[in-house]
Amino acid sequence: MFNTHKIGRNDPCWCKSGLKYKNCHESFDQKIADYKKHGVPVPRRDMIKTKEQIDGIREAGLINTAALDLVEREIKIGMSTEDINTMVHNFITERGGIPATLNYEGFPKSLCTSLNDEICHGIPDKNVILADGDIINVDITTIYNGYYADASRMFMLGNVKPEVKKFVEVVKECFELGVKAVKPWGRLGDIGDAINTHAKKHGYVVVRDIGGHGVGIKFHEDPYVCHVGKEGTGMLLAPGMVFTVEPMINMGKEEFYVDEKNGWTVYTVDGMPSAQFEVTLAVLEDGIEILTH
Ligand code: MF3
Ligand code: CO
Ligand code: CO
């Protein structure tokens, strides 16, 4: 909850910038309080990152992006998903980073590899060999100096069926429209509206119940970023918020299930392909910054 009463105007700002409150977050807090008074759901103070924290997340993002670039250069038919895991694990750790998924709530590997009908949380496996026509999402999260950056990309191997290729391209458009919908003092629902409207137009379905999240100090923070939404509704997007946009979109039906044996991998019920792209971004006063570019 934003409390504009306890801090004196000449006291140090709550954000630990070292500046006096009146020269730092005072007007920000007043603006938030005003939205709140008008019934708009506003972010808690712990969802607002300082410049220093955003700088830290950007640093983690640099390693994370370089790891995805490495995958982009090296991925090929005949490779196992475990090979991708080993390559990225070594790359991140050699640079002083930690792969965030490794041992995260028991997840056994250093990244997620979600193939074809796998929506997310695919586990790298030496027996899963990339084949001609496959599509795969590689989702990497790097911890560096205590800060987290989370991003994923799709890769298409060899001769992907034209309708599947088109699907992946449209999912990328949906994702880009979602990112474009993030504006300082906009609303969380703007994102899901942009994504879902475009997906629906093409006959694809956005997965409503698995979404993006605040990120930076921990792997998964508030708010939950739903990729289905209504423009002008939902939480206020205030400068200092850092979260992911990572729509999972199915070519067929929305229904999914979780692998009973490994407890992680999420599949489409109808066996049709699913695709996803992800970035970590910061809301700034004058726009946004993608921290995983
Ligand atoms: N990187 C995923 C995300 O975008 C989370 C993976 S958690 C894991 O939120 F445990 F499955 F690795
Ligand atoms: Co991710
Ligand atoms: Co994420």
Side-chain angles (χ1 to χ4, degrees):
M1 197 80 60
F2 284 85
N3 187 330
T4 52
H5 303 293
K6 274 189 192 139
I7 308 177
R9 300 192 62 232
N10 289 308
D11 288 344
C13 187
W14 53 261
C15 81
K16 302 191 185 94
S17 62
L19 296 173
K20 290 184 175 174
Y21 183 51
K22 66 179 179 191
N23 297 324
C24 196
H25 275 93
E26 186 187 45
S27 64
F28 173 90
D29 284 353
Q30 280 164 354
K31 197 161 175 178
I32 296 269
D34 200 49
Y35 274 102
K36 197 178 165 195
K37 204 171 74 195
H38 290 91
V40 175
V42 299
R44 296 188 312 265
R45 192 174 278 171
D46 66 4
M47 295 182 211
I48 306 301
K49 264 99 179 161
T50 63
K51 187 184 170 298
E52 187 192 2
Q53 289 170 330
I54 293 175
D55 289 345
I57 301 164
R58 186 186 300 108
E59 291 269 307
L62 287 175
I63 299 174
N64 206 67
T65 300
L68 281 166
D69 290 344
L70 173 70
V71 175
E72 190 149 346
R73 285 196 301 276
E74 296 295 328
I75 195 165
K76 46 180 87 56
I77 294 164
M79 218 180 208
S80 72
T81 51
E82 174 80 36
D83 292 335
I84 302 172
N85 185 79
T86 306
M87 179 172 79
V88 168
H89 179 92
N90 292 341
F91 183 88
I92 292 173
T93 53
E94 279 160 14
R95 281 156 187 77
I98 302 167
T101 61
L102 186 59
N103 302 320
Y104 172 76
E105 293 182 5
F107 192 84
K109 296 287 173 176
S110 298
L111 47 76
C112 299
T113 47
S114 305
L115 201 61
N116 300 324
D117 63 329
E118 296 173 356
I119 298 176
C120 62
H121 304 166
I123 302 178
D125 186 329
K126 65 180 183 343
N127 298 313
V128 174
I129 308 295
L130 300 179
D132 186 46
D134 279 347
I135 63 166
I136 187 169
N137 174 277
V138 178
D139 190 341
I140 307 179
T141 306
T142 298
I143 314 171
Y144 184 71
N145 203 9
Y147 295 107
Y148 290 70
D150 182 9
S152 80
R153 294 181 199 162
M154 292 300 297
F155 302 101
M156 297 193 249
L157 294 145
N159 300 300
V160 173
K161 281 193 208 138
E163 65 268 29
V164 175
K165 187 161 180 278
K166 154 101 190 303
F167 163 66
V168 174
E169 284 163 2
V170 171
V171 172
K172 185 155 198 204
E173 290 169 8
C174 291
F175 155 76
E176 283 165 352
L177 289 165
V179 170
K180 239 176 65 204
V182 183
K183 302 220 165 65
W185 311 109
R187 303 288 286 272
L188 205 51
D190 303 349
I191 303 168
D193 199 338
I195 292 167
N196 190 41
T197 301
H198 195 63
K200 266 190 2 203
K201 199 166 88 190
H202 289 273
Y204 305 136
V205 189
V206 177
V207 178
R208 184 188 289 263
D209 295 335
I210 320 172
H213 49 93
V215 64
I217 309 302
K218 291 189 295 179
F219 198 161
H220 295 107
E221 304 174 3
D222 286 336
Y224 174 68
V225 179
C226 188
H227 300 107
V228 179
K230 193 165 176 291
E231 196 183 346
T233 68
M235 187 179 285
L236 183 69
L237 301 178
M241 291 175 79
V242 175
F243 55 83
T244 69
V245 173
E246 52 174 308
M248 282 151 253
I249 301 180
N250 295 350
M251 199 173 158
K253 295 204 161 65
E254 186 181 352
E255 283 66 41
F256 60 83
Y257 68 95
V258 179
D259 189 303
E260 266 180 34
K261 274 187 252 144
N262 71 29
W264 280 104
T265 309
V266 182
Y267 299 86
T268 61
V269 167
D270 62 8
M272 297 273 281
S274 186
Q276 176 187 28
F277 293 85
E278 174 177 29
V279 286
T280 294
L281 61 81
V283 182
L284 306 176
E285 256 148 57
D286 55 357
I288 66 156
E289 181 184 348
I290 294 174
L291 300 171
T292 51
H293 256 176

